[in-house]
């Protein structure tokens, strides 16, 4: 096995661990069975503690830990991650799990659109076609939520996806290491939720689930998914993000017997198939371009 093959295999393994770990985030939130603000307080608080503990250990042992929030761009990215954390929790409590994860998957296309507008990275025709198909899938899900009580949750999910995409775009534009920024950013939701809990009261029936989520699941998934691009291509990493879109509704269906609506399944199927097809196309196209470049400029 060559060094490049070994690195690629390592990258696939690390990213797969991150993607699979992330799939149980929503089920753990549901299992904790609590009020939204109480859940957000415990989840964000334990995530911050875990992130700072890891960062301090890294700094003490190796001395080269990246900045927690690198400059003004880091502050903007942190604010976006903080806001998306709040809208994500609100979405969990105001729409179905299937709708939530399907609409969150839209952040990939939001990122492509923002890169086009602000970074002048014009999407290729295949990407534009994929964006149009995903828009159809999104409209099917959101339209079905009108009048059913899910519309507000669907809009929260879309807002979360958009803010995540904006954070990704800023990170790409600056080229700075934002690895810990997403983790420490949840300190703001922690403070807000702490104030809200003081007013509305605390209720979490099974706090150990959400403590485990914030202290273990979030740091592992964020770290692995952020490390993956060091070893494998962007399209390959993106495909592992889809694991949550595909598997989270399955776990919730198995645990809570929450069956998605026909419109949710239809719209979600369009989103998932489009994303997978587009990611595979990007991967194939990237390999073809690298092969062509190697022929033109042999070592």
């Amino acid at each position: 096995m060559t060094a490049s093959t070994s690195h690629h295999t390592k990258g696939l393994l690390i990213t797969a661990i991150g993607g699979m770990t992330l799939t149980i985030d929503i089920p753990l939130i549901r299992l904790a069975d609590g009020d939204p603000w109480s859940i957000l307080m415990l989840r964000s608080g334990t995530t911050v503690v875990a992130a700072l503990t890891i960062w301090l250990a890294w700094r003490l042992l190796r001395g080269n830990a990246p900045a927690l929030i690198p400059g003004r761009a880091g502050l903007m990215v942190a604010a976006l991650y903080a806001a998306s954390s709040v809208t994500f929790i609100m979405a969990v409590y105001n729409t179905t799990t299937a709708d939530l994860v399907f609409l969150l998957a839209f952040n990939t296309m939001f990122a492509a659109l923002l890169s086009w507008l602000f970074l002048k990275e014009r999407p290729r025709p295949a990407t534009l076609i994929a964006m149009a198909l995903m828009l159809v899938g999104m409209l099917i899900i959101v339209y079905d939520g009108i009048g059913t009580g899910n519309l507000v949750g669907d809009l929260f999910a879309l807002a979360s996806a958009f803010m995540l995409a904006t954070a990704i775009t800023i990170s790409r534009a600056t080229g700075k290491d934002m690895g810990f920024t997403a983790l420490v950013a949840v300190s703001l939701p922690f403070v807000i939720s702490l104030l809200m809990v003081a007013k509305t009261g605390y209720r979490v029936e099974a706090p150990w689930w959400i403590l485990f989520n914030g202290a273990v699941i979030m740091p592992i998934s964020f770290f692995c998914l952020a490390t993956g691009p060091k070893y494998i291509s962007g399209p390959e990493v993106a495909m592992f993000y889809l694991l949550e879109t595909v598997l989270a509704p399955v776990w919730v269906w198995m645990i809570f017997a929450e069956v998605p609506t026909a419109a949710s399944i239809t719209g979600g199927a369009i989103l998932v198939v489009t994303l997978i097809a587009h990611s595979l196309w990007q991967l194939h196209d990237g390999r073809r371009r690298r092969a062509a470049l190697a022929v033109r400029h042999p070592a």
Side-chain angles (χ1 to χ4, degrees):
M1 180 181 292
T2 64
S4 61
T5 303
S6 177
H7 281 174
H8 188 265
T9 302
K10 181 179 180 180
L12 289 174
L13 178 60
I14 291 173
T15 314
I17 291 172
M20 283 298 298
T21 303
L22 192 62
T23 67
I24 63 173
D25 176 30
I26 295 174
L28 287 175
I29 292 173
R30 297 282 299 274
L31 281 169
D33 187 18
D35 295 328
W37 291 115
S38 299
I39 290 292
L40 182 60
M41 181 185 70
L42 290 182
R43 181 176 180 265
S44 55
T46 50
T47 299
V48 170
V49 171
L52 291 177
T53 301
I54 294 169
W55 184 80
L56 286 172
W58 188 340
R59 187 173 182 180
L60 290 172
L61 296 175
R62 302 190 61 180
N64 61 344
L68 291 175
I69 300 180
R72 293 182 180 179
L75 285 174
M76 293 177 63
V77 170
L80 288 164
Y81 276 122
S84 70
S85 180
V86 175
T87 54
F88 172 78
I89 293 294
M90 294 300 110
V92 170
Y93 284 88
N94 288 282
T95 191
T96 65
T97 298
D99 281 15
L100 172 57
V101 295
F102 289 148
L103 292 173
L104 282 177
F106 211 73
N107 82 80
T108 303
M109 291 304 160
F110 276 143
L113 181 61
L114 290 170
S115 295
W116 184 10
L117 293 175
F118 297 104
L119 304 183
K120 307 305 179 185
E121 297 177 355
R122 181 180 175 85
R124 303 182 69 185
T127 300
L128 293 175
I129 293 172
M131 291 173 67
L133 289 173
M134 289 187 70
L135 180 62
V136 172
M138 179 196 70
L139 290 175
I140 291 173
I141 295 173
V142 173
Y143 181 78
D144 184 58
I146 297 176
T148 66
N150 289 347
L151 179 60
V152 172
D154 289 348
L155 294 177
F156 272 129
L158 281 174
S160 186
F162 180 77
M163 285 184 285
L164 285 173
T166 305
I168 292 170
T169 303
I170 294 174
S171 298
R172 291 183 60 192
T174 61
K176 294 183 179 179
D177 189 343
M178 302 285 185
F180 280 97
T181 305
L183 291 173
V184 298
V186 295
S187 56
L188 179 59
F190 171 69
V191 173
I192 294 173
S193 58
L194 190 63
L195 295 174
M196 293 302 298
V197 169
K199 294 180 179 180
T200 63
Y202 169 85
R203 187 188 76 83
V204 179
E205 299 298 326
W208 48 89
W209 292 116
I210 203 65
L211 290 172
F212 174 71
N213 188 14
V216 179
I217 299 304
M218 289 293 95
I220 290 176
S221 59
F222 273 70
F223 177 80
C224 290
L225 288 168
T227 302
K230 293 182 179 179
Y231 304 100
I232 60 178
S233 67
E236 288 175 304
V237 174
M239 288 177 65
F240 286 107
Y241 273 98
L242 295 181
L243 288 172
E244 183 180 29
T245 303
V246 176
L247 294 178
V250 175
W251 306 148
V252 171
W253 170 67
M254 292 174 65
I255 299 170
F256 303 101
E258 181 183 284
V259 181
T261 65
S264 178
I265 293 174
T266 302
I270 293 173
L271 287 173
V272 171
V273 171
T274 301
L275 275 171
I276 292 176
H278 184 259
S279 296
L280 288 173
W281 171 81
Q282 281 187 308
L283 179 59
H284 172 74
D285 186 65
R287 287 176 174 171
R288 181 180 61 80
R289 287 171 174 268
R290 286 193 296 270
L293 186 62
V295 171
R296 293 177 186 175
H297 306 284

